[in-house]
């Protein structure tokens, strides 16, 4: 199996590889030590029988070390490259290991009751509130939200937004019937006499205009008189028209039952009825509506308005000192304070989060667990083997050391029992 060059590994994996190499060297050294002891004991046991114990210890240690070396090596590769059955387990069964791991996580971790039990004991809202109420944290969240919002605004297609606005305008403005609701609304206004303040306002406005625009009446009527009429008569006619207009408006303002008011009321009542029942009036309103909202100028106005709003929002979102950013940060800090102090709100938020998490886990736990399975299946077998070996290989080398020690002790024990049996029954 080709090893990844150490410079391509992460710093943590580089340290793991160095630790693994050290442990392999120690385990190999223990095997060599057992071999040396075996050789010494084997040579000297004929002359000095007690050295047989040393030979037995070395022999048992070598057997234990070699057996555990084979077992550990067989997990990751074929020992000595030999095609021995049931070796190189991890690279040969990588996909099955991924499926098993995914099933294990799905069964034991992505279960609704497990998630609910954990979240029920976690004060999510209180912790979030305590963190969010701190101004630096609120500013950090506000900055991230503003960056995301600005990115979304930039990513939006102006043509798509304009089409959406046009579709919404057509659906809710152009295609909707305005005549019937407008007639109904106007009829209710007349029935409740709610139009009187509007009439009063109109009369007051006209009166104020008349008092400030006497000159506007100069020549208004007199210019239509024959040329032989004296100029003094011209002025008299214009002043008379002005004074009559002022008197008429003042009379309307002062008399709640003035005929002009009744005429306006009657006109509004007829208009309300026509808007609901007269096809001609209804058609005129619909035509005027379509002429306004289907006008290219209106569509251009909507486009310009969107560009203005978009540019303004992006500028405000990107400016840390803008009023919008300040309000966002203040709102987040206020939310954090409420979450930290309001026990009732904490319970509601914790309940919402828990229910949402349980719903997502119950509904999508297989899809979530499949991420593990799919990811492991995409991994290269050699790379996967190396990653796993770096993670657990150092600990597995202790098995080789333990096997060496246990083998040596077992060898001595077996030799001692056998020697005692020979002495007793020989």
């Amino acid at each position: 199996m080709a090893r990844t060059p150490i410079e391509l590994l992460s710093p943590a994996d580089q340290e793991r590889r160095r630790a693994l190499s050290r442990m392999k060297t120690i385990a190999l050294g223990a095997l060599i030590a057992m071999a040396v002891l075996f050789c010494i004991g084997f040579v000297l046991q004929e002359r000095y029988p007690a050295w047989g114990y040393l030979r037995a210890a070395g022999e048992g240690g070598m057997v234990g070390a070699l057996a555990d070396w084979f077992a550990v090596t067989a997990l990751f590769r074929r020992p000595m490259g030999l095609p021995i059955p049931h070796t190189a387990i991890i690279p040969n069964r990588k996909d099955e290991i991924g499926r098993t791991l995914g099933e294990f996580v799905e069964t034991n971790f992505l279960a609704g009751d497990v998630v609910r039990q954990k979240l029920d004991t976690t004060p999510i809202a209180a912790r979030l509130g305590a963190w969010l109420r701190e101004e630096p944290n609120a500013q950090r969240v506000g900055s991230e939200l503003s960056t995301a919002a600005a990115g979304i605004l930039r990513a939006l297609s102006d043509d798509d937004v304009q089409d959406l606005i046009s579709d919404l305008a057509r659906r809710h403005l152009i295609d909707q019937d305005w005549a019937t609701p407008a007639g109904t609304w106007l009829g209710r206004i007349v029935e409740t006499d709610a139009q009187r303040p509007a009439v009063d306002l109109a009369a007051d406005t006209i009166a104020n205009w008349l008092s400030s625009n006497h000159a506007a009446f100069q020549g208004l009527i007199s210019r239509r008189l024959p040329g032989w009429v004296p100029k003094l008569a011209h002025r008299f006619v214009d002043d008379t028209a002005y004074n009559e207009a002022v008197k008429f408006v003042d009379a309307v303002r002062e008399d709640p039952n003035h005929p002009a008011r009744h005429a306006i009321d009657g006109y509004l009542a007829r208009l309300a009825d026509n808007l609901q029942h007269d096809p001609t009036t209804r058609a005129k309103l619909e035509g005027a509506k379509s002429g306004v909202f289907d006008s290219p100028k209106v569509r251009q106005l909507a486009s310009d308005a969107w560009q203005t709003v978009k540019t303004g929002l992006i500028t405000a979102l990107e400016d840390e000192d803008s009023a919008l950013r300040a309000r966002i940060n203040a709102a987040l800090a206020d939310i954090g304070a409420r979450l930290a102090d309001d026990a009732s709100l904490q319970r509601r938020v914790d309940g919402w989060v828990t229910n949402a998490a349980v719903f997502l886990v119950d509904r999508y736990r297989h899809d979530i667990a499949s991420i593990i399975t799919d990811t492991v299946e995409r991994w290269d077998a050699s790379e996967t083997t190396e990653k796993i070996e770096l993670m657990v290989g150092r600990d597995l080398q202790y098995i080789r050391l333990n096997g060496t020690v246990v083998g040596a002790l077992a060898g001595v024990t077996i030799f001692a029992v056998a020697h005692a049996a020979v002495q007793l029954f020989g």
Side-chain angles (χ1 to χ4, degrees):
M1 179 184 68
R3 301 181 70 191
T4 303
I6 191 167
E7 62 271 11
L8 299 180
L9 297 174
S10 67
D13 283 344
Q14 292 179 17
E15 180 58 33
R16 293 188 184 101
R17 176 175 284 185
R18 286 189 289 267
L20 176 60
S21 298
R22 286 195 297 269
M23 287 305 304
K24 284 185 174 181
T25 301
I26 294 173
L28 178 60
L31 173 60
I32 293 174
M34 292 296 106
V36 170
L37 292 179
F38 171 76
C39 293
I40 294 173
F42 184 80
V43 171
L44 297 177
Q45 67 179 349
E46 294 296 333
R47 184 181 301 177
Y48 306 104
W51 284 87
Y53 288 94
L54 184 62
R55 179 195 64 79
E59 184 177 18
M62 285 192 298
V63 172
L66 289 172
D68 287 341
W69 165 82
F70 181 89
V72 171
T73 302
L75 288 173
F76 305 104
R77 60 188 61 83
R78 297 187 183 279
M80 301 179 67
L82 300 175
I84 303 172
H86 303 293
T87 58
I89 295 173
I90 291 177
N92 289 334
R93 302 181 63 184
K94 171 181 68 70
D95 293 346
E96 184 179 349
I97 292 173
R99 288 191 296 271
T100 303
L101 180 59
E103 292 173 358
F104 175 79
V105 171
E106 179 180 353
T107 303
N108 295 278
F109 294 94
L110 298 178
D113 54 343
V114 174
V115 174
R116 184 177 294 278
Q117 182 179 4
K118 177 62 179 177
L119 294 180
D120 283 343
T121 59
T122 304
I124 300 173
R127 291 181 181 178
L128 176 61
W131 182 83
L132 192 59
R133 75 189 305 173
E134 300 294 332
E135 184 176 352
N137 298 330
Q139 292 178 349
R140 178 181 175 185
V141 175
S143 176
E144 295 297 333
L145 291 176
S146 299
T147 301
I152 292 173
L153 287 173
R154 284 197 178 89
L156 289 175
S157 169
D158 292 339
D159 292 337
D160 291 341
V161 173
Q162 291 170 16
D163 291 341
L164 176 61
I165 293 175
S166 298
D167 291 341
L168 291 175
R170 178 166 296 280
R171 183 181 307 170
H172 297 288
L173 297 176
I174 299 176
D175 293 342
Q176 293 293 324
D177 173 26
W178 279 25
T180 301
T184 302
W185 174 74
L186 183 58
R188 291 176 180 173
I189 290 178
V190 174
E191 289 176 1
T192 58
D193 217 16
Q195 80 281 2
R196 284 194 176 274
V199 175
D200 292 339
L201 177 61
D204 292 340
T205 303
I206 295 173
N208 292 332
W209 183 87
L210 288 172
S211 65
S212 303
N213 294 274
H214 186 187
F217 277 76
Q218 298 300 320
L220 181 65
I221 298 176
S222 62
R223 71 168 61 100
R224 295 174 174 81
L225 296 176
W228 52 266
V229 177
K231 295 295 183 180
L232 182 62
H234 286 204
R235 183 175 180 180
F236 176 77
V237 170
D238 290 334
D239 288 344
T240 300
Y242 174 77
N243 293 330
E244 289 299 323
V246 171
K247 291 178 180 179
F248 176 79
V249 173
D250 288 343
V252 172
R253 294 173 66 191
E254 295 172 0
D255 185 3
N257 294 313
H258 194 278
R261 289 181 177 271
H262 293 301
I264 293 174
D265 295 344
Y267 169 77
L268 293 176
R270 289 192 301 275
L271 178 60
D273 183 71
N274 290 339
L275 285 172
Q276 297 179 73
H277 306 106
D278 181 42
T280 303
T281 305
R282 293 169 61 87
K284 288 181 179 179
L285 177 62
E286 292 300 317
K289 177 188 68 175
S290 299
V292 171
F293 290 104
D294 262 351
S295 169
K297 292 183 178 180
V298 173
R299 286 196 291 271
Q300 183 60 42
L301 178 62
S303 174
D304 294 342
W306 161 247
Q307 289 294 338
T308 302
V309 171
K310 176 181 176 181
T311 303
L313 282 175
I314 291 177
T315 302
L317 288 170
E318 292 181 340
D319 183 4
E320 295 183 358
D321 298 324
S322 68
L324 178 60
R325 287 285 293 271
R327 291 185 178 182
I328 291 175
N329 296 338
L332 290 171
D334 181 65
I335 292 173
R338 292 186 59 194
L339 286 174
D341 300 332
D342 191 337
S344 176
L345 181 60
Q346 290 174 8
R347 287 192 296 270
R348 291 199 300 272
V349 172
D350 288 343
W352 295 334
V353 173
T354 300
N355 292 335
V358 171
F359 170 80
L360 292 175
V361 165
D362 287 339
R363 190 177 184 86
Y364 300 106
R365 63 178 180 178
H366 181 72
D367 297 322
I368 297 173
S370 67
I371 295 175
I372 300 174
T373 303
D374 297 341
T375 301
V376 174
E377 287 180 352
R378 288 194 299 269
W379 283 352
D380 177 74
S382 300
E383 183 180 357
T384 303
T385 301
E386 183 176 7
K387 286 183 178 293
I388 296 176
E389 185 175 16
L390 288 176
M391 294 298 297
V392 301
R394 180 175 179 272
D395 294 327
L396 293 177
Q397 299 307 311
Y398 283 103
I399 295 178
R400 293 177 58 186
L401 283 176
N402 293 337
T404 302
V405 175
V406 172
L409 294 175
V412 171
T413 302
I414 293 173
F415 180 80
V417 171
H419 184 69
V422 170
Q423 293 294 328
L424 183 61
F425 301 106

